[in-house]
Amino acid sequence: AQSVTQLDSQVPVFEEAPVELRCNYSSSVSVYLFWYVQYPNQGLQLLLKYLSGSTLVKGINGFEAEFNKSQTSFHLRKPSVHISDTAEYFCAVTVGRGGSEKLVFGKGTKLTVNP
Amino acid sequence: NAGVTQTPKFQVLKTGQSMTLQCAQDMNHEYMSWYRQDPGMGLRLIHYSVGAGITDQGEVPNGYNVSRSTTEDFPLRLLSAAPSQTSVYFCASSYSGGAREQYFGPGTRLTVT
């Protein structure tokens, strides 16, 4: 079975510092990978996705992620964070195909950006 | 487009009561799904649908029913609410025909006392 592990439940950083949110997945087949962001009291918004092709994926708000098949990782990075990046971030992977395709989420990482 | 809409935003139920959480999308998406979000648990899939008339169970389906009579609507029914169903519920839809790139609604916060 596929699963997603987000290695840090909380990450505090100072404004303008770089950040990396870690995500590992378990899979023996091809995968599609996603990062979603949830701002306080809101729904989830797609940040970026890896479906195929280049392993370095750029998303919205200056975030990027790198798909590493050998390490089964899909870590999210931003070189300089802002206060407005404070949110919860979820890594997700698809399981199944066609009519049985589903999305499995990690437990989330709360990013707090301090002034 | 309104995107994915959910009603109500908040709801308090007593144990044993029933209710329906509404979800609608105006993007002509075939794939729709329901998740519950609990602190420290991420999002867990309750039920999903790949098109009108077709539904299937997710990871935590017990205590919930769904139906999909139209492409636009995907209601979630709680037949006999329990305190363990206190959670935030999100509906999502996808244009890709599968679980990818889902658009989420704003959520319904449900408390069962």
Side-chain angles (χ1 to χ4, degrees):
Chain A
Q2 298 228 28
S3 69
V4 180
T5 302
Q6 291 185 242
L7 295 153
D8 305 294
S9 60
Q10 299 191 51
V11 173
V13 295
F14 288 109
E15 194 174 17
E16 298 184 6
V19 71
E20 178 180 81
L21 306 184
R22 297 179 293 168
C23 173
N24 286 92
Y25 66 93
S26 63
S27 171
S28 59
V29 297
S30 298
V31 295
Y32 303 123
L33 294 154
F34 306 85
W35 276 98
Y36 284 85
V37 59
Q38 184 180 33
Y39 298 105
N41 299 312
Q42 293 188 28
L44 276 73
Q45 179 182 1
L46 182 65
L47 206 54
L48 50 79
K49 63 191 178 194
Y50 172 79
L51 303 181
S52 64
S54 172
T55 57
L56 184 62
V57 179
K58 294 192 183 298
I60 61 172
N61 300 340
F63 284 92
E64 63 181 32
E66 185 158 18
F67 170 58
N68 188 319
K69 189 173 182 179
S70 63
Q71 297 189 7
T72 60
S73 67
F74 191 55
H75 301 332
L76 181 70
R77 302 185 182 100
K78 186 169 182 178
S80 175
V81 294
H82 303 289
I83 298 283
S84 59
D85 292 323
T86 294
E88 190 158 19
Y89 293 79
F90 293 93
C91 183
V93 63
T94 51
V95 300
R97 284 293 180 266
S100 64
E101 190 171 279
K102 292 170 266 194
L103 208 53
V104 175
F105 285 86
K107 294 185 177 181
T109 298
K110 287 187 180 174
L111 175 65
T112 303
V113 182
N114 298 303
Chain B
N1 286 351
V4 179
T5 58
Q6 292 184 238
T7 56
K9 283 188 166 50
F10 302 94
Q11 183 70 48
V12 178
L13 289 178
K14 294 187 188 302
T15 297
Q17 287 185 317
S18 62
M19 80 159 297
T20 299
L21 307 186
Q22 300 292 346
C23 173
Q25 51 90 10
D26 60 358
M27 299 173 282
N28 202 33
H29 288 174
E30 292 293 331
Y31 189 100
M32 295 186 74
S33 53
W34 276 102
Y35 297 87
R36 60 176 289 172
Q37 183 179 25
D38 303 292
M41 299 294 290
L43 277 80
R44 292 180 291 170
L45 182 65
I46 304 171
H47 286 285
Y48 67 102
S49 168
V50 298
I54 306 169
T55 64
D56 205 348
Q57 296 181 352
E59 180 185 356
V60 288
N62 292 341
Y64 307 95
N65 278 355
V66 292
S67 60
R68 185 96 179 269
S69 56
T70 67
T71 299
E72 294 77 21
D73 301 299
F74 190 41
L76 178 73
R77 282 183 286 277
L78 284 71
L79 299 178
S80 179
S84 60
Q85 294 178 304
T86 294
S87 188
V88 182
Y89 291 85
F90 289 100
C91 179
S93 71
S94 168
Y95 67 86
S96 69
R100 289 159 259 174
E101 303 181 55
Q102 295 192 48
Y103 290 80
F104 282 80
T108 295
R109 186 174 293 274
L110 175 69
T111 301
V112 182
T113 61

